[in-house]
Amino acid sequence: MTEARGSAAPPSRHTPGTPCWVSLMVHGPAATQEFYGSLFGWEFAPGPQQLGPYVRALLGGQEVAGIGQLPPDRQLPVAWTPYLASDDIDLTAESVRLCGGTVGVGPLDAGDAGRLVIGSDPSGAVFGVWQAAAHLGTSVAGVPGTPAWHELLTVETVSVAKFYETVFGCEGEPVNSAGLDYVTLHAGGRPVAGLHGVGHALPRDRGPHWMTYFEVADVTASARLVTDLGGHVLRPPHDSAHGRVATVADPEGARFSLIENPH
């Protein structure tokens, strides 16, 4: 993780390679909305329906994230997926393929909101790509209930860092610390995401995957609320160099992290 997290006023258009949206596909959207509404204070409004029922989560009337319904015939993992900004999604999709990744969905028009791709990097970690039109992405940051950081948990960072650098034009900056395999991705001169190589510590049931950190005012209280709402605490609240952190899962098993005072 890194010190910079964004601000209360994100740029009007995100620099390519910047995580600009985060979306969750679930089996039971009504129960999921109730969980996150209670946890983060989100309200919900209808969004594009090209991939099925979909709502946008709002915080104080501003868009934060998306929740959609998985097709009943597809056994896909329930997971938060970050969308990285692109100015030319067709070119990005081709680059994903040329660099050893896979395009699973798209490029696809999402009404007048923009165009999307869902793909995976060479390690198998799933991510989205978003070319904005009417919908620029997350419109508020730096307050509780908003995404604060996105981190890829993978086996090793060298090859996967090259993928994101080449496909999105990011610059990777390795963290020089003994025994730590970590690369911070920079876009437009600012840190936007992290790649964390954890070797054999990677959960066998998950494989490489992106983790979204959501800001909260009190990690301990929020972790307790997760349990009260039917979720699970996977790693209890603990102090880190960037604030107090906990890793949790919602009732359908989607994993995410809570972070307190990440500024």
Side-chain angles (χ1 to χ4, degrees), residues 11 27 40 58 73 101 107 128 131 153 161 165 185 192 202 230 233 248-249 257:
H27 299 287
F40 293 139
L58 307 176
D73 58 337
Q131 181 178 341
L153 297 174
E165 289 167 3
L185 292 179
V192 295
L202 195 68
V233 175
V248 300
S257 289

Side-chain angles (χ1 to χ4, degrees), residues 23-94:
S23 195
L24 174 65
M25 302 294 285
V26 296
H27 299 287
T32 298
Q33 290 175 47
E34 187 174 339
F35 173 85
Y36 287 101
S38 298
L39 180 62
F40 293 139
W42 290 351
E43 298 177 331
F44 300 93
Q49 308 292 306
Q50 275 72 15
L51 296 179
Y54 191 82
V55 295
R56 290 175 178 158
L58 307 176
L59 192 64
Q62 294 183 286
E63 296 175 345
V64 176
I67 296 175
Q69 183 168 1
L70 283 166
D73 58 337
R74 297 192 67 181
Q75 297 302 311
L76 298 172
V78 176
W80 281 103
T81 301
Y83 281 70
L84 309 183
S86 169
D87 286 340
D88 186 338
I89 204 163
D90 296 283
L91 181 60
T92 300
E94 187 61 25

Side-chain angles (χ1 to χ4, degrees), residues 1 7 15 29 31 33 36 42 61 65-66 69 78 99 107 111 113 141 156 159 164 167-168 172 190 229 237:
M1 201 177 300
S7 66
T15 304
Q33 290 175 47
Y36 287 101
W42 290 351
Q69 183 168 1
V78 176
C99 293
E156 55 80 29
S159 58
Y164 289 99
V167 172
F168 292 100
R190 56 185 289 267
L229 294 170

Side-chain angles (χ1 to χ4, degrees), residues 192-253:
V192 295
L195 312 176
H196 190 187
V198 296
H200 296 299
L202 195 68
R204 290 191 174 184
D205 62 330
R206 286 299 308 274
H209 61 280
W210 280 92
M211 173 75 74
T212 297
Y213 288 73
F214 290 97
E215 181 170 344
V216 294
D218 184 331
V219 162
T220 300
S222 293
R224 190 180 304 119
L225 183 55
V226 165
T227 303
D228 293 343
L229 294 170
H232 305 279
V233 175
L234 305 176
R235 187 177 181 192
H238 59 280
D239 292 323
S240 76
H242 306 284
R244 196 157 173 77
V245 178
T247 303
V248 300
D250 70 18
E252 286 202 23

